[in-house]
Amino acid sequence: MNNLVYSLTVNGHVHEVRDAWVGESLLSVLRDRIGAYGTKGACEQGECGSCSVLVDGELVCSCLVLAASVTGSSITTIEGLSPDGELTDVQRAFIDAGAVQCGFCTPGLIVAVHDLLDENPAPSPLEVREALSGNLCRCTGYGRIFAAVEAVIAERNGTVSEEADA
Ligand code: FES
């Protein structure tokens, strides 16, 4: 069936999707129909996390979600985390820590970090590793990514040491 018409609410805007196939993934619709190119497609099997978005506040791999099944939901992509174009503190920390190399994994990681810190403002290093275990990065070795997350946690919780701040 290729003649579905439905609406998706993405980053607060309603998008009409026409002539859609019922089996189209949310990832595919976000990128190919709505132009939300920040959401990356890589494994398309729910293994790498590069397509991570929030659906009604829940972190999902958009490659595993049928777009037509989330017509009544609020979808947030990486673009929706900073609608005014200002970098979020997580994005800034990734840059400052050198946690971006090719950048392919970065949008999914940023969405996942925001989700983690919204739910747990002060996660332990182990909890950070566990929360991000579904986001694969082939470039960085993860050390700088974890350093970026720790910097955000310290800044948000007011525990930045003077030495680290200097
Ligand atoms: Fe290249 Fe993570 S920066 S995959």
Side-chain angles (χ1 to χ4, degrees):
M1 193 189 320
N2 289 332
N3 55 0
L4 281 184
V5 179
Y6 58 83
S7 296
L8 285 183
T9 303
V10 180
N11 302 328
H13 300 285
V14 177
H15 298 265
E16 190 164 275
V17 181
R18 295 187 158 275
D19 300 322
W21 172 50
V22 69
E24 224 165 331
S25 71
L26 179 58
L27 167 65
S28 165
V29 171
L30 285 172
R31 287 185 56 84
D32 301 339
R33 294 178 178 271
I34 293 176
Y37 299 116
T39 303
K40 304 301 182 196
C43 75
E44 303 201 16
Q45 297 179 356
E47 295 289 342
C48 75
S50 64
C51 66
S52 298
V53 300
L54 301 172
V55 175
D56 293 331
E58 185 181 343
L59 187 69
V60 300
C61 288
S62 59
C63 70
L64 296 182
V65 175
L66 291 179
S69 73
V70 290
T71 55
S73 297
S74 175
I75 298 154
T76 305
T77 68
I78 182 74
E79 292 90 345
L81 296 178
S82 52
D84 56 3
E86 292 283 317
L87 295 178
T88 69
D89 55 352
V90 177
Q91 289 171 314
R92 172 56 58 196
F94 267 59
I95 294 169
D96 291 346
V100 181
Q101 289 190 26
C102 82
F104 209 80
C105 67
T106 307
L109 273 162
I110 299 280
V111 172
V113 172
H114 275 280
D115 178 64
L116 166 65
L117 299 184
D118 284 350
E119 298 202 352
N120 180 0
S124 68
L126 186 60
E127 288 171 325
V128 171
R129 281 157 177 73
E130 185 174 12
L132 301 184
S133 63
N135 293 82
L136 304 184
C137 174
R138 66 184 178 180
C139 304
T140 65
Y142 298 96
R144 291 174 186 231
I145 291 170
F146 294 139
V149 178
E150 294 301 332
V152 175
I153 294 168
E155 192 178 334
R156 288 192 184 185
N157 291 288
T159 56
V160 180
S161 70
E162 285 181 19
E163 197 174 291
D165 215 14

